[in-house]
Amino acid sequence: MTVDRNSIAVPKIVSLQTFPVRIPFADGGPGTGGTPSRWHMLDIVLIRLEDEAGNVGWGDAFAYFCLEAVKAAVDHMIAPFVTMASIDDIPAWNFDVQRKLHLFGRYGITLFALSGVDIALWDLKAKRHGLPLWRLLGAEAPTSHHAYASLVRYGEKDLVTRQCERAIGLGYRHIKLHEIAPDVITRAREAIGPGIPLMVDANCAWSVEETLALRDTFRSCDLLWVEEPVFPPDDYQAMAEIEAAGVRVGTGENACTAFDFNRIISNVTYPQPSMTKVGGVSEFLKVLAACKGAGKIPMPHTPYFGPGYFATLAMLPLMPKETLVEFLFVEPAAWLAATPEPIEGFITASNNSGIGFEANLDIIECYAVWT
Ligand SMILES: [Mg+2]
C-alpha cells in the first residue's frame, strides 16, 4: 500500500466558516458614480478556516453589492472541496477547483469565492510554519512601497480639490481619481500641482473613440495611467489600440485567473490583479511571474480592507519597488483588524505570521449581516 506522507503531515481542515460583514464608511462625497446604487458600505465575506491542529487562516472574498451571493458560493460551491481535506499544494488545489466549477463561469462570483478561500489556505499554511507569508514565499525582508490615495468619484470640482488637498496634507505623493469629466480631472491636477503622479480610473465609462478624444486632457494633466477606460473591461484589443495612441493603460481588476491575465499583460503598461477576485494568492503569484517575464510593473487593485488587503501587502516583497499600493481614501466606521495604513505615503507588509490579519471578533460580530 502506498502512503502519501503529505496527507499525514498536513493537518485536515475541520471547519470553514463565513462571516458576512457590512461596514459603513464616510468619503465626504455623494456616494454615487460607477456603482449599482449609492456606495457607502464595505461589504465583505470573511472566511475562517481551522485545521485539526488548531491553526486558523483568514480570507476575504470580494463582495461589494453581492455579499449574499458570494457567501452562498463559498458555503455551497467551495466549502465541499475544503472541509476534511489536507491541502498543502494550494495552487494545485485551486486549479482543480477551477476545473470542477468551470461550468459556472470563470469570472465573477465563483472566482471571488475561490479567491477568499485560497487566501485563507495560504494564511493557514504560513501560520502552520510560523512565518509571514512573504517569508514562506521566499522573500528575505518586508519592503516599503509608495501608497496612493484612491479617491472615490466626487463628480464636482471643489469637492475633488478639497480631497486632493487633504490627501497631500496626509503625506500622499500619488493620487488616483475616479472622475470622468475632463474639467474635474484638470482641476485635480491644478490642486496638487506638478510632480505628484496622478492616475484616472474611468471604471469602463468610455468607448475607444471617447477615450482617444480625451488625449489632450490626459497629456496636459500628465497622467501616469488611465485605468479601465472602456467597456467591456475584457476588450483587450481596445486597450492595445489606446496604448498604441500613446495613452498608458492600467487594467485587470475585473479579470479572473492568470490565464485571463496573459491576454492583459501583453496589451497594457500596468496589469492590475485584484487579490480577492483573480483567484487568491495562488493566481496572483502566477500573474506576478508573468509580469516579471514581460517586464511589466504590476499595480494591484486593493480598495478593500479585509484579509485580501493584508495578503496583497504580503506580496509586496515579491513585486518591483515601483509597484504602488492602492489605499481607498475613505473612513470606515471600524477596522476588522489592526490594519497597516500608509504613513507619509508609504506602506509596508506585516511581520506577523501568515498574512498578518489578527481578526477583531467583536467588530466582526458588531457588523455582521445575517443572511
Ligand atoms: Mg479601478
Side-chain angles (χ1 to χ4, degrees):
M1 188 176 118
T2 307
V3 176
D4 181 350
R5 290 183 183 280
N6 284 332
S7 70
I8 294 171
V10 179
K12 285 191 177 72
I13 292 163
V14 292
S15 83
L16 182 156
Q17 294 173 280
T18 45
F19 299 90
V21 295
R22 181 166 285 150
I23 299 178
F25 67 84
D27 61 18
T32 54
T35 51
S37 57
R38 182 175 171 240
W39 187 36
H40 58 127
M41 298 280 187
L42 303 171
D43 290 330
I44 299 166
V45 173
L46 289 167
I47 295 144
R48 181 187 185 275
L49 300 178
E50 183 166 352
D51 70 18
E52 59 190 338
N55 301 299
V56 170
W58 286 92
D60 168 15
F62 190 85
Y64 292 171
F65 296 98
C66 55
L67 182 135
E68 292 84 357
V70 171
K71 174 179 161 46
V74 174
D75 289 342
H76 302 297
M77 298 169 77
I78 313 291
F81 300 111
V82 178
T83 44
M84 299 314 291
S86 297
I87 300 166
D88 195 41
D89 186 342
I90 305 167
W93 171 87
N94 184 315
F95 201 69
D96 187 47
V97 175
Q98 286 183 41
R99 189 185 293 268
K100 286 172 173 147
L101 297 182
H102 76 274
L103 65 164
F104 305 110
R106 290 174 48 70
Y107 178 91
I109 286 168
T110 313
L111 263 291
F112 300 172
L114 178 58
S115 300
V117 177
D118 183 279
I119 295 164
L121 285 168
W122 279 102
D123 186 37
L124 183 65
K125 179 169 182 170
K127 282 181 181 158
R128 198 183 284 144
H129 287 81
L131 296 172
L133 180 56
W134 50 263
R135 186 77 191 89
L136 180 75
L137 295 170
E140 294 295 324
T143 50
S144 192
H145 287 245
H146 281 291
Y148 65 84
S150 187
L151 276 55
V152 301
R153 186 176 300 171
Y154 298 101
E156 204 273 308
K157 287 187 277 190
D158 290 341
L159 266 180
V160 169
T161 299
R162 208 175 307 143
Q163 296 298 336
C164 284
E165 290 171 351
R166 196 164 74 85
I168 297 293
L170 288 169
Y172 286 100
R173 291 297 172 265
H174 301 72
I175 290 179
K176 186 168 87 184
L177 309 172
H178 284 81
E179 306 297 336
I180 52 174
D183 59 336
V184 180
I185 297 168
T186 301
R187 174 68 82 83
R189 171 51 83 195
E190 289 166 0
I192 63 176
I196 301 282
L198 181 67
M199 298 78 86
V200 166
D201 186 345
N203 291 119
C204 309
W206 302 314
S207 65
V208 172
E209 294 72 26
E210 288 165 335
T211 305
L212 296 183
L214 288 167
R215 263 183 303 179
D216 287 346
T217 301
F218 301 156
R219 263 194 223 110
S220 65
C221 290
D222 190 22
L223 298 187
L224 180 58
W225 75 71
V226 176
E227 184 167 322
E228 288 201 311
V230 302
F231 184 84
D234 46 355
D235 187 349
Y236 304 132
Q237 183 55 41
M239 310 294 173
E241 285 174 39
I242 293 165
E243 285 266 357
V247 177
R248 285 183 296 264
V249 173
T251 201
E253 70 178 73
N254 286 305
C256 296
T257 77
F259 181 85
D260 205 10
F261 260 90
N262 286 336
R263 296 185 291 169
I264 289 174
I265 290 168
S266 56
N267 282 1
V268 304
T269 303
Y270 295 117
Q272 298 185 292
S274 182
M275 178 63 77
T276 60
K277 292 180 169 184
V278 74
V281 174
S282 298
E283 293 292 319
F284 197 101
L285 288 170
K286 292 181 193 172
V287 173
L288 293 190
C291 286
K292 191 173 181 182
K296 298 285 174 79
I297 297 167
M299 296 291 186
H301 166 264
T302 55
Y304 35 75
F305 300 117
Y309 172 73
F310 285 72
T312 308
L313 297 186
M315 300 292 103
L316 287 177
L318 308 171
M319 289 192 252
K321 64 181 184 341
E322 296 87 355
T323 288
L324 304 174
V325 179
E326 179 172 24
F327 194 84
L328 186 62
F329 198 59
V330 303
E331 292 169 27
W335 297 98
L336 293 166
T339 303
E341 294 181 70
I343 298 172
E344 291 299 316
F346 282 92
I347 196 146
T348 309
S350 166
N351 270 315
N352 295 339
S353 69
I355 58 173
F357 180 83
E358 303 292 336
N360 184 328
L361 301 179
D362 292 335
I363 294 295
I364 292 172
E365 189 178 347
C366 183
Y367 291 94
V369 175
W370 304 105
T371 59

